[in-house]
Amino acid sequence: MTQVDQYKGKLGFEIRDPDALSNGSTAVVDTLEEYGHSVRQFQSRNPNLIRLDCDHYRVELRYRRHPIKPTQASAAGADSTETPLRSSLGVTLTPNHPDHCDVELSELLLAMILRRLAEDLDVATVDWLHVPFTLTRAAFLGVFEDAETQAESHPQSAADHAAPDAYPVTEIAADIAGIHAAKSSAPLSPQTTPEAPPPAATPIDAALDTPPPLPQPTNGAKPVADGRLRGRACFEPVEVTIAQLEEHYAAMLQSPDTRATGRHALEARNRARARAKAVMTPPRSSGTAVARLGGLLAAMPQRMIATTSHLLRSPQLRGHLHIVCGATALLALQSSAAVAF
């Protein structure tokens, strides 16, 4: 499958619409989210350029103004007409993963984006991918209208073809009554007659032998051809599912493997806690205790000196200290006979 790097389209305007870029970006965001591509990032750094980042695509909208440009636009069932264009809006769809991107789905997504823009904006012409000619707005939107008309007419035609094949109800009833009348009027003979081969199966017999159809679910889901249900009828009620899950989990917790796994996990946790406690707790030894005691004894003189100096500098003890020092000096002089009283 040929990979395409970019999918491009362009819309032409006969006037210069300054709001075409902002209105077009809103329409593109709505179309992307409608088809399951949520916009993750919106960039509008350039006044004429907007970038949209999605999960699978990068969308770029560029608005250009140019002088009057006569363009040959082709209409459906008619020759091309000359349309003067004064501005254009380009749409570029770039896949984020080209190797895993479906070409047809990407082209359809671009077509729906251009359709939404053509419906919301005053568009004159549409350029689609690599088509060598330009389409008018009516011709481009007419393609979608024709496709919708064909899709609506197809179920009706199928029903019309199936109607002649249906066996009328009145004819079935008449055939059943004729068969019962023939059986009741047949003479009974005691002589043994060779058994006749069974008659060929008729549409009536096939209809009688067909088992009744399966009952339709109450929630609107219809069974498929092989008798299986579809939709919500395939699933049990929520309460029943929850009860089954609880029983399953209880059985898993009671199994020997689960208990052994839990026991091993508990032992591993206890061992890890023991190792962490051993690392965080410092070792206690006699050498450490002696060193700590020596540190305390060495710090005692410093503490005593600091306490004494602090007390001597106290203002409450300053007067008393002077008296004591004077008395001590007198006693020393008297004892040395330097001073006599």
Side-chain angles (χ1 to χ4, degrees):
M1 181 175 59
T2 304
Q3 299 297 335
V4 181
D5 295 336
Q6 291 182 341
Y7 303 87
K8 296 182 179 181
K10 186 173 66 173
L11 307 174
F13 302 90
E14 294 182 350
I15 60 175
R16 293 181 178 178
D17 187 3
D19 298 330
L21 187 61
S22 58
N23 297 335
S25 63
T26 304
V28 172
V29 170
D30 295 340
T31 306
L32 291 173
E33 292 182 351
E34 182 180 356
Y35 288 95
H37 300 280
S38 58
V39 178
R40 298 178 178 177
Q41 190 174 6
F42 187 98
Q43 298 180 7
S44 180
R45 300 177 181 178
N46 192 320
N48 297 326
L49 178 64
I50 289 179
R51 289 188 176 92
L52 306 175
D53 293 336
C54 304
D55 48 359
H56 296 293
Y57 299 97
R58 296 190 304 274
V59 184
E60 182 177 300
L61 303 176
R62 186 182 296 273
Y63 180 75
R64 292 184 174 90
R65 302 180 183 90
H66 45 73
I68 297 178
K69 179 182 178 182
T71 304
Q72 297 293 332
S74 301
D79 297 335
S80 60
T81 58
E82 184 174 333
T83 304
L85 302 180
R86 303 191 63 181
S87 61
S88 62
L89 179 64
V91 182
T92 304
L93 197 68
T94 305
N96 293 332
H97 310 284
D99 297 336
H100 304 280
C101 181
D102 189 86
V103 177
E104 295 181 357
L105 293 179
S106 302
E107 293 178 353
L108 290 176
L109 181 60
L110 178 61
M112 299 309 298
I113 291 175
L114 294 178
R115 178 188 183 185
R116 180 68 176 272
L117 292 174
E119 292 175 348
D120 294 351
L121 303 179
D122 190 9
V123 177
T125 61
V126 179
D127 289 321
W128 162 251
L129 291 177
H130 53 275
V131 177
F133 53 88
T134 303
L135 296 175
T136 61
R137 178 179 180 273
F140 181 75
L141 296 179
V143 176
F144 297 94
E145 296 176 359
D146 295 342
E148 293 175 355
T149 304
Q150 294 178 1
E152 293 176 357
S153 61
H154 181 70
Q156 185 65 26
S157 61
D160 296 339
H161 287 295
D165 297 337
Y167 207 74
V169 179
T170 55
E171 295 181 6
I172 294 176
D175 294 341
I176 294 175
I179 292 174
H180 283 290
K183 289 183 179 179
S184 60
S185 61
L188 298 177
S189 174
Q191 298 177 357
T192 59
T193 58
E195 295 182 358
T202 61
I204 298 175
D205 298 334
L208 295 176
D209 296 338
T210 303
L214 296 175
Q216 300 292 338
T218 57
N219 57 358
K222 298 181 180 180
V224 295
D226 55 356
R228 293 181 301 176
L229 297 178
R230 62 183 180 183
R232 295 184 178 180
C234 299
F235 305 96
E236 296 181 351
V238 178
E239 294 78 5
V240 178
T241 305
I242 293 176
Q244 295 177 356
L245 291 176
E246 290 179 351
E247 294 178 358
H248 181 65
Y249 292 151
M252 290 178 60
L253 294 176
Q254 296 298 328
S255 62
D257 297 338
T258 305
R259 289 198 300 269
T261 304
R263 184 172 62 255
H264 295 331
L266 182 60
E267 293 177 356
R269 184 184 62 181
N270 294 336
R271 288 195 299 268
R273 287 183 177 179
R275 287 195 298 268
K277 187 176 181 180
V279 171
M280 297 299 295
T281 303
R284 297 183 179 179
S285 59
S286 58
T288 305
V290 171
R292 184 178 301 175
L293 180 60
L296 293 175
L297 294 177
M300 285 180 64
Q302 299 177 1
R303 293 179 182 178
M304 292 176 64
I305 295 173
T307 303
T308 304
S309 62
H310 179 71
L311 292 175
L312 292 177
R313 287 182 298 175
S314 177
Q316 290 82 4
L317 297 179
R318 187 173 300 172
H320 302 284
L321 182 61
H322 292 171
I323 295 172
V324 172
C325 291
T328 304
L330 290 176
L331 289 177
L333 294 174
Q334 186 181 5
S335 61
S336 60
V339 178
F341 293 97

